[in-house]
Amino acid sequence: MEQVTSSLAPPRASPKANVASSSQQVAGSVAKRLSSELMTLMMSASPGISAFPKHDGNLFEWVGTIEGPSETIYAGMSFKISISFPSNYPYVAPTIKFDTPCYHPNVDITGGAICLDILQDKWSAVYSVQTILLSLQSLLGEPNNASPLNPDAAGLWNNPSAFKAQLMKHYRPVTDSS
Amino acid sequence: MSLYNYVDPINANLTCCICRAPFTEPTTTLTCAHTFCADCILRALSNAPSCPVDRTPLAPTDLGPVNPIVRSLVDELRVECVYKADGCGYVSQRQVMPLHLRDECDYAEVRCEEKEDGKTCGSSMRRMELRAHQKKVHGLWEQEQEEESLLFEETDSEEAKENHTCPHASIGCPYSGPLEPSEHLPGCPYESLKGFFTTNNAKMSLLTEQNMVLRHKVDTLEHTVHMLRKEMNAAKNALGPWFRSSYQTMSLPAHGGVARSIAGAVGVASSDLPIRMQPAVAGPSTAGFEDSVDVLAPYFPAQDEMRRGRWTPSSMADSVYGRAGGVVAPLDLGTTLEGTLEGLRESVVGLALGVDSVGRRGEIALTNETLRLGEELMSVRAQMHGLRMQVHGMMMDRNASLTMREEAGAGMGPGGAYLRAHTNFGSITKL
């Protein structure tokens, strides 16, 4: 929940305003790290995941796409997610939510919030957008039904046909207009 | 500062996995030996007290400096001046860059430390603008202009005389005048060519390096060629006239390239090689064998034939073979040494067999001759016997006639006649 607040704050909100140049520097280093991540992501071309800054000139808001892994119930679907980086990234995890409604035990169907340990208490500064997207992709096929955000979905998980029906009811294909 | 732009590609091992840039003040965890920038790991620890890589519990006290080698490796990486976008083209090792920013860079932000009314001015500007600012706002230089006008003129004239030369003088810009490099550069034709010269210089240095390497290789190769030539001479001496044939074998299509290239590399040797060969082959072979032909030919025709074939250059072979009559196949100088040796050995084996059979034939002939001689001897003996019998008959006839004459003469005693006849008889039988 603390991510939400930090993501709402403007990217270069630094608590120590007494040294203006240092906060600029920090913003610069975050931007640097983000552009290096973007480069890595574009170069590595992992299958089924992609991400790119939402607007030109703002590296702190990204939009990504995850394709449902084959041989899971989400195969053939693709989900749009938004990623917003805090100013103290990578020390604090980015805020991630599904823009495409995703019927999943660990995803809030209305808000799109995700319950994934590495996005909360298990976050580490060495994680990157790429690792997050890969984790989310595998989360689709292997939900953690012990701590559901969507108890209905967790209950239906063992009943694939009913789950699929619910999933298709909520799913809206990704459109380019955002 | 992870904000530098690095000139060269960075080894991934020297990159902090938190900021994804080369380590700044690299720091290692003493518990799990992971390395980070000092700032990065301290900030990460302030958020979560565990190692970002493996999540083992970690406190700031568990951090230690990294191996100095790693520190040097990252400190020596070349970086661009942070004011590159503003026009500063300075590039240096990372550890030198802070000094450049503090003391040199014209584009760096500096503060005016001028005190006015007991208050520091404190406004910040680029270093290149500082002097103009101090002159304009604080009247610093104007106040002293009167007194120091001379000095100023001097310095100005010095500056004028100093004749700033273009930074691209090394690549041919003839400019030398009062303009500061920063003022001159926009119009300098060499500025636009800068990139070309940089790549060119890089290429040149690369080529020079390659040239060095190649020169070294050529030296080594020359040495090898020298050694090979020595060895070849030794082999030539050892082989004697055979060398020519092996040389010819070498210039067969299979090894032709090699032979030619060797010949080309050796140069002088290649041209005089055949010439030196000619007398070496022709001398001993012709002169030495003229008499050996005469002396030995009757005794060892086959051997002589072989040796002659062997020692004669192929140009002379025809005439020699013509004289030799082709009893033994001529030596083929075109074949390899092994082939010829094999052929020689076969000839020797053939010769041995021939000698063997000749010996046997002689033995048989000898036996035959002995038998024939024995028979002849026996026939001679038989004839002799016949002759003796005839003589005996003749003697008996004579004795009979003699006895009859004595009896008719009634002269001598029978004993005496008998004695004479007996003596005659004995002498006859003794024939």
Side-chain angles (χ1 to χ4, degrees):
Chain A
M1 300 313 108
E2 75 169 324
Q3 293 96 318
V4 180
T5 53
S6 61
S7 76
L8 289 175
R12 52 190 169 75
S14 174
K16 295 185 179 175
N18 56 347
V19 189
S21 67
S22 109
S23 91
Q24 265 178 4
Q25 235 174 55
V26 168
S29 72
V30 179
K32 202 132 191 157
R33 150 121 188 189
L34 285 173
S35 59
S36 121
E37 275 193 42
L38 182 60
M39 185 84 90
T40 316
L41 202 61
M42 309 273 281
M43 304 294 276
S44 69
S46 312
I49 59 168
S50 63
F52 205 77
K54 205 179 273 180
H55 310 288
D56 281 348
N58 183 4
L59 273 171
F60 289 82
E61 300 285 340
W62 289 25
V63 57
T65 311
I66 300 175
E67 286 171 19
S70 55
E71 296 173 21
T72 68
I73 206 156
Y74 297 93
M77 301 173 150
S78 67
F79 298 91
K80 210 173 201 181
I81 58 166
S82 62
I83 310 168
S84 104
F85 297 94
S87 61
N88 48 357
Y89 180 80
Y91 306 103
V92 169
T95 308
I96 300 192
K97 66 185 189 65
F98 274 89
D99 285 350
T100 310
C102 179
Y103 192 74
H104 185 279
N106 303 112
V107 179
D108 179 17
I109 191 71
T110 50
I114 302 160
C115 178
L116 181 61
D117 57 354
I118 64 158
L119 293 178
Q120 278 120 30
D121 53 332
K122 288 286 198 291
W123 171 256
S124 155
V126 301
Y127 289 146
S128 66
V129 176
Q130 194 175 15
T131 56
I132 292 169
L133 292 179
L134 286 171
S135 304
L136 285 179
Q137 199 180 29
S138 67
L139 179 73
L140 286 179
E142 297 158 23
N144 178 8
N145 286 316
S147 61
L149 263 184
N150 184 343
D152 295 345
L156 279 180
W157 180 253
N158 290 321
N159 181 355
S161 56
F163 190 93
K164 182 84 179 177
Q166 285 296 316
L167 175 62
M168 294 315 286
K169 198 176 102 187
H170 290 98
Y171 179 68
R172 275 182 283 113
V174 172
T175 51
D176 278 337
S177 60
S178 62
Chain B
M1 275 223 295
S2 58
L3 292 177
Y4 290 126
N5 274 321
Y6 292 83
V7 179
D8 307 306
I10 305 298
N11 184 334
N13 294 311
L14 296 179
T15 309
C16 169
C17 56
I18 295 179
C19 65
R20 308 281 163 118
F23 296 119
T24 309
E25 292 182 56
T27 305
T28 300
T29 63
L30 301 177
T31 47
C32 51
H34 291 116
T35 305
F36 310 92
C37 304
D39 282 352
C40 290
I41 186 60
L42 286 174
R43 288 197 56 167
L45 287 180
S46 69
N47 284 282
S50 62
C51 171
V53 175
D54 59 10
R55 292 211 187 102
T56 52
L58 194 70
T61 49
D62 296 331
L63 299 174
V66 81
N67 188 321
I69 294 171
V70 176
R71 177 177 277 267
S72 310
L73 282 176
V74 288
D75 277 345
E76 285 170 8
L77 292 170
R78 294 197 305 146
V79 297
E80 293 166 347
C81 175
V82 292
Y83 295 102
K84 189 185 186 213
D86 300 314
C88 181
Y90 186 76
V91 169
S92 75
Q93 290 191 352
R94 196 178 72 178
Q95 55 193 350
V96 182
M97 192 53 80
L99 284 177
H100 165 73
L101 295 177
R102 200 189 70 193
D103 299 335
E104 295 171 1
C105 186
D106 279 338
Y107 299 89
E109 294 274 316
V110 288
R111 259 159 219 271
C112 178
E113 301 290 344
E114 212 48 54
K115 284 201 172 87
E116 211 167 355
D117 309 330
K119 209 171 81 177
T120 313
C121 168
S123 52
S124 67
M125 67 214 72
R126 294 184 187 282
R127 176 172 284 116
M128 57 164 90
E129 295 156 353
L130 182 63
R131 186 166 157 165
H133 161 81
Q134 286 176 345
K135 194 168 175 177
K136 196 169 153 193
V137 178
H138 307 296
L140 188 66
W141 306 104
E142 276 167 18
Q143 273 183 8
E144 299 164 16
Q145 204 167 22
E146 293 300 314
E147 302 127 51
E148 297 192 1
S149 57
L150 276 175
L151 184 66
F152 256 113
E153 266 171 24
E154 253 177 50
T155 51
D156 277 346
S157 59
E158 254 175 40
E159 266 173 20
K161 264 187 232 159
E162 208 177 20
N163 277 351
H164 291 287
T165 46
C166 179
H168 300 313
S170 60
I171 57 175
C173 182
Y175 179 79
S176 165
L179 286 184
E180 292 271 343
S182 54
E183 293 162 338
H184 162 68
L185 278 182
C188 178
Y190 290 87
E191 174 72 8
S192 50
L193 291 174
K194 188 173 64 178
F196 166 72
F197 276 104
T198 318
T199 35
N200 220 21
N201 282 344
K203 220 176 270 177
M204 278 292 277
S205 58
L206 190 72
L207 284 176
T208 318
E209 218 166 88
Q210 281 178 348
N211 201 6
M212 291 286 286
V213 174
L214 286 177
R215 194 172 295 168
H216 181 69
K217 266 188 195 164
V218 164
D219 282 349
T220 325
L221 283 177
E222 258 174 10
H223 182 70
T224 318
V225 163
H226 187 67
M227 293 288 293
L228 283 176
R229 202 156 45 173
K230 254 189 191 172
E231 279 177 9
M232 202 166 72
N233 277 338
K236 197 176 73 183
N237 287 340
L239 279 174
W242 269 111
F243 178 74
R244 185 190 163 90
S245 67
S246 62
Y247 181 75
Q248 281 167 349
T249 326
M250 266 174 67
S251 42
L252 285 175
H255 304 289
V258 179
R260 259 193 299 279
S261 65
I262 286 176
V266 173
V268 182
S270 77
S271 59
D272 67 9
L273 208 55
I275 299 169
R276 266 195 285 146
M277 283 302 301
Q278 224 61 351
V281 171
S285 63
T286 49
F289 278 94
E290 280 317 321
D291 38 36
S292 84
V293 165
D294 293 338
V295 177
L296 296 174
Y299 304 102
F300 307 106
Q303 261 188 19
D304 181 49
E305 172 61 32
M306 280 169 62
R307 292 174 65 185
R308 219 146 31 125
R310 169 186 181 175
W311 286 91
T312 311
S314 48
S315 60
M316 296 177 63
D318 286 345
S319 60
V320 171
Y321 294 145
R323 263 195 284 160
V327 180
V328 176
L331 277 179
D332 184 8
L333 287 175
T335 59
T336 59
L337 194 58
E338 287 91 334
T340 318
L341 281 175
E342 188 66 25
L344 282 175
R345 194 184 161 275
E346 272 167 21
S347 304
V348 168
V349 168
L351 274 176
L353 284 177
V355 166
D356 199 29
S357 75
V358 162
R360 264 182 227 167
R361 221 174 288 158
E363 223 167 278
I364 290 169
L366 193 66
T367 318
N368 284 348
E369 194 67 19
T370 314
L371 278 175
R372 204 173 58 78
L373 278 175
E375 272 170 13
E376 230 161 277
L377 199 64
M378 275 175 66
S379 80
V380 164
R381 205 176 281 167
Q383 280 171 357
M384 190 73 106
H385 187 68
L387 279 174
R388 203 177 61 189
M389 291 307 285
Q390 276 180 354
V391 169
H392 185 67
M394 285 166 70
M395 289 298 292
M396 288 297 284
D397 285 350
R398 206 179 60 144
N399 280 354
S401 66
L402 200 65
T403 316
M404 280 170 71
R405 230 188 303 159
E406 273 181 354
E407 275 178 3
M412 298 178 196
Y418 176 74
L419 193 68
R420 263 185 298 190
H422 190 78
T423 325
N424 283 345
F425 188 80
S427 65
I428 290 166
T429 49
K430 272 179 191 160
L431 273 173

